[in-house]
Amino acid sequence: MATTQVTDASFEADVLNSDEPVVVDFWAEWCGPCKMIAPALEEISEEMNGQVKITKLNIDENQDMAMKYGVRSIPMLILFKGGEPMATQVGAAPKGKLSDWIKSAL
């Protein structure tokens, strides 16, 4: 399962009401580091399918959720569990570090 797009409108249903933990990647088209971690997030999404759902929220198109969760620099990843933010990772990181971060937050 690849990463999925979420929007301000779908955030509650896709993230807050999800039965499994959800990582939200707050990103933008113009963000170089965001594009650098995208392939790693796709691979992690496949490898951890069934354990965690990885989603992407474009902050240029969906500013409400970015403001609500205090996104000031991107990429910013927030892991939600049971509708609550549990862990945050700011900035680009290698795939191994991103994977370890997700696993430690689960």
Side-chain angles (χ1 to χ4, degrees):
M1 183 176 133
T3 59
T4 54
Q5 300 291 329
V6 294
T7 63
D8 285 345
S10 71
F11 198 86
E12 186 172 348
D14 292 342
V15 178
L16 301 181
N17 294 335
S18 175
D19 292 336
E20 62 184 330
V22 181
V23 171
V24 180
D25 173 18
F26 292 87
W27 73 287
E29 200 62 52
W30 48 264
C31 169
C34 299
K35 291 180 179 177
M36 276 176 30
I37 67 168
L41 291 175
E42 291 289 337
E43 290 175 23
I44 293 168
S45 179
E46 307 258 333
E47 292 165 7
M48 298 184 75
N49 188 14
Q51 299 171 58
V52 66
K53 184 165 71 171
I54 299 184
T55 63
K56 298 174 77 65
L57 183 128
N58 184 320
I59 64 162
D60 287 336
E61 298 166 2
N62 302 281
Q63 296 177 358
D64 291 350
M65 290 302 127
M67 286 185 358
K68 179 174 180 178
Y69 291 103
V71 176
R72 289 185 180 82
S73 62
I74 55 173
M76 181 167 166
L77 307 174
I78 301 178
L79 187 137
F80 289 84
K81 205 170 175 182
E84 296 294 323
M86 293 292 164
T88 304
Q89 162 74 38
V90 180
K95 178 186 169 191
K97 184 174 179 202
L98 293 173
S99 183
D100 289 346
W101 171 77
I102 292 169
K103 289 175 185 164
S104 72
L106 292 178

